[in-house]
Amino acid sequence: MDSLLGLRQTSAADIRRILSTAISMRDVLERSVKKVPTLRGRAVVTLFYEASTRTRTSFELAAKYMSADAVNISVAQSSVTKGESLTDTIRTLEAVTADCVIIRHPSAGAAHLAASCTPVPIINAGDGRHEHPTQGLLDALTIRDVWRPDATDWDLSGLIVTIVGDVAHSRVARSNAWGLTKLGATVRWCGPRTLIPAGADGLPITVYDRLSDALDGAHVVMALRLQTERQERGLLPSLREYSRCWGITASSLRSAHPDALVLHPGPMNRGVEISPEVADGRAGHRSGIGEQVRNGVAVRMACLYLLIKPTAEGETL
Amino acid sequence: MPSEAAKGLRVRSGGRKRRIYVAYARERPKRAYSAVDTSEAARFPLYGATVQRRQVMDSDEMRRALVRIAHEIVERNHGAERLALIGILTRGAPLAKRLAVMVEQIEGIRPPVGILDVALYRDDFPTRRPDVRPSTLPGDLTGLDIVLVDEVLYTGRTVRAAIDAIMDLGRPASIQLAVLLDRGHREVPIRADFVGKNVPTARSERVYALLEELDGQDAVVIDREPQGALSPEAQEDPS
């Protein structure tokens, strides 16, 4: 494994190795002193062309907990505003001896382009509507903790995961579709037809039009953020209608498994795609939303640990 | 096969790369316990060569050594009240559990047992990251007398990593080291407080401490390849 660009190309064995490592990394997060010397002297650069709170923060903390030096490049104050191309920016980061570059970009395939022009490991932190692999991994970890806490082989077969909402614009939905099905789970997508992508037939998922059908027996219900500009572009009649037809509420969850786990990749629009009671776990179902963020740090520590290779010489004290 | 191998070349076999070493391995031998055929006592063939095997400890000797170590631990620490035994994964873990049971038989107190994975603290994996396994430790270590337990003491680098890991987790009153076998060739200034057996070895030799819990029998064996023959590295390169 040289880079983590998407879960579509990542083998099931690599996914299991990252997740098993993440479980051990959670031990480090529970200590009073959250620091191990593993990546001491290594530099991790986060290059974010889009806004982010949790992904960027958790990558930065993951690097720092492993003793790496983390540098954030905020694109607004970088040479990107002077017209520097992505490949030139990546080569510059290689030249300043970055050991890993974490990239988020509005265009699908940006991480692949970055990886093709440098030997430095690249981690995709979201590229357009394409993939967000670490989110897919942390969702798998959260689901396993609740439904298969003893499964060391990461077998999620028999579990139904329903992803509801704006799947057309969601890289999280795609990474989950690839990642969870590789571990054996069944993935359903559900949303208004205007927000279901045309090419969904090529993905290992089933598309449902009615929310109650999609939620029937679902072990995991994942609500996706509805970006309000979708309505402005005419894909939705109104937010209120969306909320009534597709919102995850205590009543819509009645058709799901009684112990269903509710997830949301964040940030949430409370009262639109998910009701506040469900988000906070007050509706009688389990909410894993806080757990997702915590697992995100562990998964990102595992990715950095496995992708940043030990020094070529090794054998140093 | 031997003629090609004797040149020390990388040979392709079955589409997978295999690395062949001549006589002495230049890289540190990776202990491959699965390669030890316990049913075959003395020798096993490898690429047409044979490996000489000697057994340096049988199950009775191992038991006696562990009982003696348990007594020494109790004697050194004036009892077992503030003691904690921490086994270094993989084979230190069952040894620590055994020592805890023996200490209980001597003192009537079973000291808490922890399991420590030192992968995040290692410095000696040049190419591939080792798997990280969860550690389980008996709560707060501050003020305890910690006895680290491992099966073979060799370069001392694992123990160095384990000491660093323990220091990050608390401030114990003391850290001591118990090993089943000391084979020499230290690369850092570390020595064991409790040693089951000192066995002089060559660096090219491979020491296997087999344990009932993991390998189905208790024994310590040392493999040595005859002069000029191929080392066990000629097996598939694990990386």
Side-chain angles (χ1 to χ4, degrees):
Chain A
M1 203 167 52
D2 298 320
S3 286
L4 183 66
L5 304 177
L7 294 187
R8 183 180 190 169
Q9 337 36 10
T10 308
S11 70
D14 280 343
I15 290 175
R16 285 190 211 104
R17 183 151 197 248
I18 296 170
L19 292 173
S20 300
T21 308
I23 296 242
S24 306
M25 294 301 178
R26 284 201 299 216
D27 285 0
V28 177
L29 296 177
E30 283 162 12
R31 297 180 184 178
S32 51
V33 180
K34 292 173 285 190
K35 198 114 179 159
V36 287
T38 318
L39 297 180
R40 203 179 49 174
R42 302 311 191 87
V44 173
V45 178
T46 60
L47 179 62
F48 275 51
Y49 288 82
E50 275 185 359
S52 161
T53 320
R54 68 208 76 223
T55 306
R56 183 180 197 143
T57 312
S58 58
F59 265 116
E60 190 177 347
L61 284 176
K64 289 183 169 169
Y65 290 158
M66 313 268 301
S67 298
D69 295 304
V71 177
N72 291 318
I73 297 179
S74 86
V75 163
Q77 285 145 37
S78 68
S79 293
V80 174
T81 52
K82 299 177 189 167
E84 187 173 57
S85 70
L86 175 64
T87 50
D88 284 342
T89 305
I90 295 291
R91 287 198 191 102
T92 306
L93 296 178
E94 181 190 336
V96 299
T97 69
D99 291 294
C100 184
V101 176
I102 294 141
I103 180 167
R104 169 171 287 187
H105 199 280
S107 303
H112 291 257
L113 176 66
S116 69
C117 66
T118 177
V120 176
I122 303 285
I123 298 180
N124 182 1
D127 57 337
R129 306 173 182 185
H130 180 221
E131 281 232 42
H132 188 0
T134 53
Q135 179 74 37
L137 292 166
L138 72 90
D139 287 335
L141 178 55
T142 313
I143 292 167
R144 176 264 192 192
D145 282 345
V146 170
W147 283 105
R148 299 282 158 83
D150 303 319
T152 48
D153 57 354
W154 295 94
D155 183 9
L156 301 182
S157 54
L159 294 183
I160 299 168
V161 180
T162 303
I163 303 176
V164 183
D166 185 6
V167 287
H169 301 92
S170 174
R171 50 199 175 210
V172 176
R174 282 171 184 74
S175 281
N176 268 300
W178 293 114
L180 294 174
T181 49
K182 280 183 182 176
L183 298 176
T186 306
V187 177
R188 298 172 178 171
W189 278 3
C190 182
R193 272 286 156 178
T194 49
L195 296 179
I196 298 283
D201 297 342
L203 285 146
I205 49 114
T206 322
V207 174
Y208 287 74
D209 287 322
R210 286 169 61 96
L211 184 61
S212 55
D213 293 345
L215 291 183
D216 185 35
H219 300 86
V220 179
V221 180
M222 186 183 300
L224 297 175
R225 188 168 82 93
L226 184 78
Q227 286 159 298
T228 46
E229 58 266 30
R230 307 282 173 246
Q231 188 211 339
E232 287 148 23
R233 284 182 32 210
L235 296 172
L236 292 172
S238 77
L239 283 184
R240 185 153 172 268
E241 182 188 308
Y242 177 85
S243 177
R244 286 187 58 154
C245 293
W246 311 100
I248 302 300
T249 61
S251 64
S252 68
L253 278 175
R254 267 187 218 120
S255 47
H257 191 283
D259 295 322
L261 170 72
V262 178
L263 301 177
H264 192 299
M268 286 186 278
N269 295 315
R270 287 168 181 261
V272 181
E273 72 266 5
I274 188 165
S275 73
E277 304 83 61
V278 172
D280 299 334
R282 287 184 274 115
H285 291 83
R286 287 180 282 191
S287 169
I289 296 168
E291 214 49 31
Q292 282 177 287
V293 181
R294 207 170 71 88
N295 284 333
V297 181
V299 160
R300 282 155 191 147
M301 286 171 80
C303 291
L304 292 173
Y305 173 74
L306 294 171
L307 285 176
I308 300 178
K309 296 285 181 280
T311 44
E313 308 88 60
E315 302 270 322
T316 51
L317 250 179
Chain B
M1 209 51 196
S3 63
E4 219 182 339
K7 292 174 197 157
L9 299 173
R10 273 178 158 245
V11 294
R12 273 197 175 274
S13 160
R16 297 187 62 180
K17 277 181 189 166
R18 290 185 181 195
R19 189 174 286 168
I20 307 290
Y21 292 89
V22 180
Y24 292 100
R26 266 163 296 159
E27 284 179 28
R28 176 176 307 158
K30 183 180 166 68
R31 287 194 211 106
Y33 281 82
S34 57
V36 180
D37 181 359
T38 52
S39 66
E40 199 175 358
R43 338 182 107 215
F44 65 98
L46 186 76
Y47 287 89
T50 54
V51 172
Q52 290 177 352
R53 169 171 299 173
R54 61 194 160 110
Q55 182 167 326
V56 294
M57 223 182 225
D58 63 20
S59 63
D60 283 334
E61 286 166 328
M62 192 184 288
R63 179 179 46 77
R64 285 180 208 120
L66 289 172
V67 168
R68 176 175 52 75
I69 289 173
H71 275 102
E72 286 175 359
I73 289 173
V74 171
E75 186 185 10
R76 169 87 60 93
N77 294 287
H78 309 292
E81 283 81 20
R82 293 186 303 130
L83 211 56
L85 303 179
I86 294 186
I88 300 171
L89 280 173
T90 305
R91 277 171 174 71
L95 287 177
K97 284 175 192 155
R98 287 193 207 179
L99 283 172
V101 172
M102 291 169 182
V103 168
E104 187 184 21
Q105 285 164 359
I106 300 163
E107 282 293 300
I109 300 169
R110 184 180 297 204
V113 174
I115 293 168
L116 185 67
D117 179 70
V118 297
L120 294 174
Y121 292 83
R122 295 203 80 125
D123 60 359
D124 52 354
F125 283 86
T127 52
R128 182 179 183 272
R129 293 283 185 195
D131 287 339
V132 189
R133 290 164 291 180
S135 302
T136 52
L137 291 161
D140 188 10
L141 305 178
T142 306
L144 294 178
D145 291 311
I146 304 286
V147 180
L148 288 171
V149 184
D150 205 358
E151 90 277 34
V152 177
L153 180 57
Y154 181 23
T155 61
R157 287 175 188 271
T158 306
V159 176
R160 195 279 310 165
I163 293 171
D164 281 355
I166 295 287
M167 291 296 197
D168 272 6
L169 293 164
R171 192 182 183 286
S174 68
I175 301 178
Q176 297 154 31
L177 174 64
V179 296
L180 189 59
L181 199 85
D182 183 348
R183 63 169 293 193
H185 303 289
R186 215 77 75 240
E187 292 170 6
V188 284
I190 276 172
R191 70 169 172 77
D193 301 88
F194 314 103
V195 182
K197 189 170 188 175
N198 283 294
V199 180
T201 59
R203 279 179 185 271
S204 61
E205 289 176 321
R206 290 155 60 102
V207 178
Y208 299 94
L210 307 174
L211 297 179
E212 180 79 48
E213 293 91 330
L214 300 167
D215 312 296
Q217 74 174 86
D218 282 343
V220 178
V221 296
I222 297 180
D223 284 354
R224 144 179 271 173
E225 62 271 34
Q227 193 73 35
L230 299 168
S231 87
E233 293 307 293
Q235 295 163 69
E236 244 175 62
D237 189 347
S239 63

